[in-house]
Amino acid sequence: MTAGHPWHSGEALVQERRGTPRQLSISAPYHIEKDMPQQHAEFFNGLPYLPLATMDKRGRPWASILVTMSDSDPSIGITTFNRNQTDVVAEVNQYDPFVRALGPNQNPSGDYCRLFAGVGVDFSNRRRNKLAGLIKPISLDAEGKISLRLISDQHLGNCPKYITVRSLEHKARKAELALDSFDALTAALPDASKNLIARASTVFLATKHSAHSDGSSEDQGDMGFNHRGGSPGFVRTYEQKDGDIITSYLVLPDHSGNRFYQSLGNIETDKQVGLAFPDFTTGDVLYITGNAENLYDADAEAIMPRVSLLTRIEVTGAVFVKGALNLRLGSEEQYSPYNPPVRYLRSELDAMGHIADVVEASNPIGATLVSSQKISDTIHTFNFELSEAIETPMPGGFGIFDFSGMLDSGYSHMNEANPQLVNEDFVRTWTLSSAPEFDAEKNLFRSTNQVSVTVKRIPSGLMSNFLHEYVAQQLEQPMRVDFKGAGVGFSCLTPDPEGGPPTIPAKMLWVAGGVGITPFLAMWDGIVNVAKTLPKQLSSDIILVFSGRDDDINVLRHFLATSSALPENLKLRVLAFQSAGEVSAEAQTAHDILTQEFPNAALSTEQRRVQLADLEAIEELLDREIFLCGPDALMNWSKTALRELGVKESKLNQEQFAF
């Protein structure tokens, strides 16, 4: 058996940098078959849509999706012959850059023999197969019907990871050109284009490997085409300005795959790429061409933290067509269980205040779990001792913990039992729920080697379950992980630029739900620690509204135990809402004990959900600086309610869990 696609230098380079096992590198080309397998032929014959790519006369790849089903034209469809020939008759729109790249203006010699690549995807079952080769004679009629003959010599089956399940039906649409930079250089992408990218869970990526671009003796180059998927927002965008010139960039993080690295390998030898972003709800498609580069390790982290390999694309051409696809959704979309969390650009995290002071990898700080306290059945505080003291952020900040040394078992192509492990980096960013002592002479919180995190056990949470199980089993082996840094983006304490003590707003409302109480634990400790040394420095009237389930109400003991000893210029009142369908015995017990322990007016409890009237009853509500942290549903409701009550947007400060 001969290899259908010997690796070129770009593919070999990426495989080496990413640690593809030598045996896989040797054997993988034999999985790429020159003749189309019968199963692939049957698969393509039944596809109602076919993503394809080719190049224009300038050598730029353009990706598209051809509709190969019709309610009225029986000639529309895909037919395979002789294991290497596939005839395609499809519905297209006249603005499609794939179609324009094959038109007479792009082929003045009349030679239609062009490189192509495609990937057949059945969105109903996540099956996909790739093919590549040459496009032979074509025709395009005035009705928007294109006929292609594909002569393929590369065929490869792909895994189902990252494919969004959806049912698609035929729907005739009228294409409308909204952006056309097919011939002109594109600068800034319009908001409509960027919004489509932000919504996309599916994108198609076309690459090419030019003949002799790597000094090889190949007679001709080839193209690559692949599906890229993830949760909406997995492709990030940003702009760079140089005077009046604006350049748009796309950033695609690499998700764990088969480790062949064909697309990324092509980019190493030829930077020109094409992308197609379909919106199956509206039928809109954004077509992009541009120059790509792969960034590795520290260079990747500089753009997108916690990502060790990404592709950055400088947009040089774009076409946005509304109603481009004669397809519509026939079902709800189901995202792949393999989709990793959306990663954000460093610039985005910086804008949120979530960039940490990262510890150099050559001098890691160890974090050893030394003790824990049970707060409720599902919430524990875990106390870590660091191998060296750190300059802590303002209370309310976060720490980054790396558990990979304990838990990472290496590469896994598929994991049906726990798909999230395939891209798991075992790094967690948690709010530090403790605050260090305050140095009144230096007006700073002291350096410390003691940090705490308060973590709620979530049924599907890998690390929360690991921590809780570790403590429950009382394992003798000490838990030692790496501490990668700390930062702050959410705090009511503001450093004094003149070097004085920190300040806080004179009136505050804290709204917390469940384990969203954690930054308030640290902020409260920070306020208390400043008050211990400078009793008259901080003055504030604080109302804490807490919503929790079952015995989570126990977390309020942390606040109430110290509130009575504060100076008169600091006041704290707690409004607790214990929500549950039916109040359990444990919840009732926790409620009774807490109210008996703290019978004073600082605590008010209700065994129901918080309501609009509860917020409306808060005195001087409109004068308060408001801080919110908790589950999305509670936060969205709270912000809507507060706006309805007249609170200004500038008064709302919400913790963003985007790390």
Side-chain angles (χ1 to χ4, degrees), residues 54-69:
T54 192
M55 293 182 287
D56 62 19
K57 65 181 180 182
R58 293 156 61 183
R60 302 178 303 170
W62 289 98
S64 183
I65 304 173
L66 310 187
V67 177
T68 52
M69 66 173 168

Side-chain angles (χ1 to χ4, degrees), residues 393-463:
M394 278 289 169
F398 58 88
I400 305 173
F401 297 80
D402 184 354
F403 292 80
S404 60
M406 295 187 71
L407 298 176
D408 192 354
S409 58
Y411 170 81
S412 174
H413 179 49
M414 301 287 288
N415 188 328
E416 290 298 312
N418 194 338
Q420 286 293 300
L421 286 179
V422 169
N423 287 283
E424 178 61 67
D425 63 0
F426 302 99
V427 174
R428 291 296 182 271
T429 301
W430 285 313
T431 300
L432 299 177
S433 54
S434 57
E437 295 297 320
F438 186 75
D439 188 330
E441 293 183 2
K442 297 181 178 180
N443 286 323
L444 295 171
F445 288 97
R446 299 180 188 276
S447 300
T448 183
N449 69 339
Q450 306 290 322
V451 297
S452 300
V453 294
T454 300
V455 180
K456 185 178 181 69
R457 185 169 194 163
I458 302 171
S460 60
L462 175 67
M463 299 314 305

Side-chain angles (χ1 to χ4, degrees), residues 510 512 517 520 542-546 556 559 572-575:
W510 294 351
I517 194 71
F520 299 110
I542 305 169
I543 296 177
L544 168 60
V545 174
F546 175 76
L556 299 177
F559 299 89
L572 173 71
R573 286 165 289 168
V574 179
L575 310 179

Side-chain angles (χ1 to χ4, degrees), residues 330-526:
S331 68
E332 294 289 331
E333 293 186 314
Q334 300 175 34
Y335 302 127
S336 170
Y338 283 92
N339 289 348
V342 170
R343 299 299 182 205
Y344 294 85
L345 301 174
R346 181 171 294 275
S347 57
E348 294 175 306
L349 295 174
D350 190 35
M352 300 177 198
H354 282 176
I355 289 297
D357 294 324
V358 179
V359 178
E360 291 293 334
S362 58
N363 187 31
I365 294 178
T368 302
L369 181 65
V370 293
S371 64
S372 67
Q373 291 86 41
K374 179 180 178 180
I375 306 299
S376 71
D377 281 348
T378 59
I379 298 176
H380 275 67
T381 294
F382 301 91
N383 306 306
F384 289 87
E385 182 177 292
L386 307 182
S387 57
E388 62 182 75
I390 62 168
E391 298 293 333
T392 57
M394 278 289 169
F398 58 88
I400 305 173
F401 297 80
D402 184 354
F403 292 80
S404 60
M406 295 187 71
L407 298 176
D408 192 354
S409 58
Y411 170 81
S412 174
H413 179 49
M414 301 287 288
N415 188 328
E416 290 298 312
N418 194 338
Q420 286 293 300
L421 286 179
V422 169
N423 287 283
E424 178 61 67
D425 63 0
F426 302 99
V427 174
R428 291 296 182 271
T429 301
W430 285 313
T431 300
L432 299 177
S433 54
S434 57
E437 295 297 320
F438 186 75
D439 188 330
E441 293 183 2
K442 297 181 178 180
N443 286 323
L444 295 171
F445 288 97
R446 299 180 188 276
S447 300
T448 183
N449 69 339
Q450 306 290 322
V451 297
S452 300
V453 294
T454 300
V455 180
K456 185 178 181 69
R457 185 169 194 163
I458 302 171
S460 60
L462 175 67
M463 299 314 305
S464 68
N465 277 292
F466 174 71
L467 279 173
H468 282 258
E469 282 298 321
Y470 192 95
V471 169
Q473 295 178 19
Q474 298 180 333
L475 299 179
E476 295 181 0
Q477 179 184 358
M479 178 191 291
R480 186 184 186 280
V481 300
D482 285 342
F483 185 80
K484 302 191 71 170
V488 64
F490 184 73
S491 181
C492 67
L493 292 102
T494 302
D496 184 354
E498 302 298 326
T503 60
I504 59 176
K507 295 182 176 65
M508 287 188 280
L509 170 63
W510 294 351
V511 181
V515 78
I517 194 71
T518 52
F520 299 110
L521 294 172
M523 287 191 276
W524 179 246
D525 282 355

Side-chain angles (χ1 to χ4, degrees), residues 568-583:
E568 291 185 357
N569 44 302
L570 281 173
K571 297 179 180 178
L572 173 71
R573 286 165 289 168
V574 179
L575 310 179
F577 296 87
Q578 193 179 29
S579 60
E582 293 183 5
V583 178

